[in-house]
Amino acid sequence: MSDGMALAGPDGALRCPWALSTDDYVAYHDEEWGRPVHGDDALYERLCLEAFQSGLSWITILRRREGFRTAFADFKIAQVATFTESDKARLLADPGIIRNRAKIEATIANAQVLADWTPGELDTLIWSHAPDPTTRPTPKTLADVPAVTDESKALSKALKKRGIRFVGPTTAYALMQACGLVDDHLETCVARSVPL
């Protein structure tokens, strides 16, 4: 794994090396990461999970994803926007999620902001920052995959300007990777540009 090249998994298929540490990662890598995600609620969920991941490993979030969904009403923007102080207290006591007050409050505040947007507006705003795939080199190793890009800086700035919290350029880029705005599967990875 030290050279950052795609590695063979248990089935012999080459994958991005980060995907091989756990079965949870293999499934996430093969079935979700880098696949296009559309819809305001679906993108809100990914935005929230990426914010909760900040400072933690993604596997921590992935393994608690169902707990997050239960705790945050399946990330339905309209429902989370109505959460009260008692909901905050409930969330801070919920062992099924990451009990970080600032991230919980940002998740609720972001829903309150997004509830006032036109349906489809979050989807449109996020996808308007997808770079032209023909201008991006295909990563051969993990060293070729950036942590931040001009597009992620612009997306972060646009979301912050509209009142969205906990979405710096690195989080914005992780969102872009997870939601298929960019394809950062390595050149020889079995999941690169897999048709949906």
Side-chain angles (χ1 to χ4, degrees):
M1 207 183 311
S2 60
D3 62 4
M5 302 283 287
L7 297 174
D11 59 0
L14 293 176
R15 288 182 177 83
C16 301
W18 63 263
L20 298 174
S21 60
T22 73
D23 290 343
D24 294 329
Y25 268 161
V26 172
Y28 175 70
H29 169 274
D30 288 2
E31 298 164 20
E32 288 189 68
W33 193 75
R35 303 290 183 92
V37 174
H38 285 282
D40 291 347
D41 288 340
L43 288 165
Y44 168 67
E45 174 184 356
R46 298 298 183 88
L47 185 63
C48 294
L49 293 178
E50 294 295 346
F52 271 101
Q53 186 271 330
S54 181
L56 302 169
S57 69
W58 180 246
I59 196 68
T60 302
I61 303 304
L62 196 56
R63 289 182 173 158
R64 295 182 186 201
R65 191 175 189 181
E66 290 310 313
F68 276 107
R69 285 176 170 164
T70 299
F72 287 101
D74 285 325
F75 292 100
K76 301 249 182 283
I77 293 168
Q79 286 182 252
V80 179
T82 67
F83 279 16
T84 63
E85 288 300 318
S86 64
D87 288 302
K88 286 182 192 175
R90 169 183 59 81
L91 292 164
L92 285 166
D94 188 340
I97 66 169
I98 305 301
R99 294 174 285 185
N100 177 298
R101 180 180 297 277
K103 293 176 182 181
I104 288 169
E105 289 179 350
T107 299
I108 296 168
N110 288 345
Q112 291 166 343
V113 168
L114 293 170
D116 290 334
W117 290 22
T118 304
E121 193 171 350
L122 178 62
D123 190 302
T124 300
L125 181 120
I126 288 175
W127 278 90
S128 72
H129 289 83
D132 178 350
T134 64
T135 65
R136 289 177 51 85
T138 302
K140 292 176 174 40
T141 72
L142 291 180
D144 298 329
V145 178
V148 174
T149 63
D150 289 343
E151 293 88 359
S152 77
K153 290 175 188 174
L155 175 57
S156 170
K157 184 176 180 181
L159 289 167
K160 286 179 178 179
K161 185 176 180 182
R162 299 288 304 273
I164 302 300
R165 294 162 42 185
F166 263 94
V167 62
T170 303
T171 297
Y173 192 67
L175 176 76
M176 294 172 77
Q177 290 175 305
C179 295
L181 280 75
V182 296
D183 184 355
D184 276 344
H185 286 286
L186 300 183
E187 183 176 51
T188 57
C189 176
V190 67
R192 181 161 182 85
S193 298
V194 173
L196 297 177

